[in-house]
Amino acid sequence: MTRKYVLRCPECGSAFDDEFTNSCPHGCAALLKTEYSCRLTLRAGTGILRFGDWLPAENTSDIQLEGVPITYKSDGLAEELRLRNLYISFSGYFPERNAYVKTCTFKEFEALPTFLRVAERAPGRILVVSSVGNTARAFAQVSAETGMPVVLVVPKRNVDRVWTVGTRAENAFLVAVDGDYRDAITMGGEIAALDGFIAEGGARNVARRDGLGVVLLDAAFHMSSIPAHYFQAVGSGTGALGVWEAALRLNAFGIFKGVPKLHLSQNLPFAPMFRAWKAGRSELIDDDVRDGESIKKMHADVLSNRKPPYSVRGGVYDALTATGGEMYGVNNDECIEAERIFESEEGIDLDPAAAVCVASLMQAVEAGVVDKGEKILLNVTGGGYKKLKKDLKVYEVRVRAETEGMFPELKCMLEEFRDAILPSRPSTSASSQQQRRSVARTPRQAFLPPPPS
Ligand SMILES: *Cc1c(COP(=O)(O)O)cnc(C)c1O
Ligand SMILES: [Zn+2]
């Protein structure tokens, strides 16, 4: 039987098996890519596993999570901007449009394949995720629905963004860190280095990029073509890279032709990739990321990534160059105006980051960068919070530790959490295959802690 996929390094060209490998074993810096052996066949069923052929997990058939992006042709906003072919990809809660992403952002499409990839490729290890909120919430939800364990590391001031819907995240260990995103990342790195834990890998993790590529796949099938333009607000650029790679894959398999121009936006004043791109640089310099104070002034602080994969091979600079793309800087006033217009024209509230994207489309239309008749895909990466909180019960995820840094008691707590959830961690390959199978068959039971004795 041929393997479902291999990983390929675009720098040295070598291909290898996936062992939750997030960097080239030969030491190249490039982002690895998945190479699937099969053409995509859309499956029946719910959620992003409809696109499971192009997700880096083998056993995807038993999992039923309903979150999936939806694509529709805009009337209201399109009319407002005089665009004739504006399509919206919406990742959030919008029942009138059949959108049921309960944590209200596209981060859920990264979370599910990442969990599955860890279960299969790094069995017996617990995923560690650092986040300013949206990512942690998405991973908490998937953990709650599947029972798969996770450690979430979030700045203390953002822990109220970590909640689940419908069910509690009993197997999520939430750590509240004194400080900002950078401190959460440092802390997450220390936890991932403990025995039995593993870092999720960010943009380097192919499961995150391929998960977000589903946005383009859904849109392309809905539109029966690949759009000429793609708009998205970026922090790390993971989503934009996933979309770019998904478009190339559709081309390679002869399913649809063309690659969208990437129009990527950031929230001023903290907009490192926008600054570098406008200055014609393929590298970020210290000046681009220095002003930490400006992060506090951002309307959309989920976009405040200081180390995006911009200059690395296969990263954002390459994607912008290859597609003839553009970058936009959007200030807070423009965001608020975009939010108001979108909500009144489309009937749903926006995540602040999605407002950045809508504002960038307005800038592009104003500047005449897009033709009024061209097919445009606007990625509304998050929204629907107001409606969700009215319709559904939301559970806060309990903070299990508050910390300024690693300390012995925290290490003990994490080890206890690990040992309760993974009572017999595999030490041989035979038992890891055993675990692999049991994970696929019964994801919830496989990870539930033993009943209290
Ligand atoms: C994370 C996030 C983004 C940015 O995505 P990246 O892949 O980090 O560039 C945009 N919008 C929303 C709602 C997000 O949560
Ligand atoms: Zn290599």
Side-chain angles (χ1 to χ4, degrees), residues 105-107 134 212 232-239 302-303 351 353 381-382:
T105 81
F106 74 167
K107 296 288 195 307
N134 289 358
L212 292 177
Q232 197 208 301
V234 294
S236 66
T238 310
V302 294
L303 304 177
D351 184 280
T381 46

Side-chain angles (χ1 to χ4, degrees), residues 214-347:
V214 161
V215 165
L216 183 85
L217 300 179
D218 183 74
F221 283 101
H222 182 90
M223 301 163 72
S224 302
S225 65
I226 290 177
H229 302 280
Y230 172 77
F231 283 79
Q232 197 208 301
V234 294
S236 66
T238 310
L241 295 175
V243 159
W244 179 45
E245 290 171 34
L248 293 174
R249 207 166 273 141
L250 287 170
N251 280 264
F253 280 88
I255 302 173
F256 294 113
K257 277 215 254 331
V259 175
K261 265 183 205 283
L262 301 182
H263 299 263
L264 310 182
S265 45
Q266 296 204 287
N267 187 187
L268 298 167
F270 189 81
M273 291 192 277
F274 164 71
R275 289 187 199 289
W277 178 255
K278 283 299 185 189
R281 280 186 272 109
S282 61
E283 304 279 337
L284 298 180
I285 56 175
D286 284 348
D287 240 22
D288 296 327
V289 291
R290 179 160 14 236
D291 190 8
E293 273 307 298
S294 65
I295 291 177
K296 297 201 185 100
K297 301 185 196 122
M298 290 169 78
H299 184 65
D301 64 357
V302 294
L303 304 177
S304 68
N305 192 305
R306 289 167 198 266
K307 287 189 181 162
Y310 178 72
S311 45
V312 67
R313 181 127 172 194
V316 174
Y317 182 83
D318 281 357
L320 285 167
T321 307
T323 63
E326 186 52 279
M327 286 225 55
Y328 303 78
V330 172
N331 67 36
N332 288 356
D333 290 342
E334 291 173 287
C335 291
I336 290 158
E337 175 69 359
E339 228 158 47
R340 189 187 62 71
I341 292 173
F342 191 89
E343 192 167 347
S344 80
E345 295 301 330
E346 299 292 337

Side-chain angles (χ1 to χ4, degrees), residues 8-14 16 23-30 32:
R8 183 162 317 265
C9 170
E11 206 158 315
C12 69
S14 55
F16 34 86
S23 333
C24 175
H26 306 299
C28 308
L32 302 180

Side-chain angles (χ1 to χ4, degrees), residues 90-93 104-106 349-355 379-385:
F90 187 86
S91 298
Y93 184 75
C104 295
T105 81
F106 74 167
D349 59 295
L350 291 178
D351 184 280
N379 188 350
V380 176
T381 46
Y385 298 92

Side-chain angles (χ1 to χ4, degrees), residues 12 69 94 136 139 155 223 448:
C12 69
F94 195 177
F139 278 75
M223 301 163 72
L448 275 185

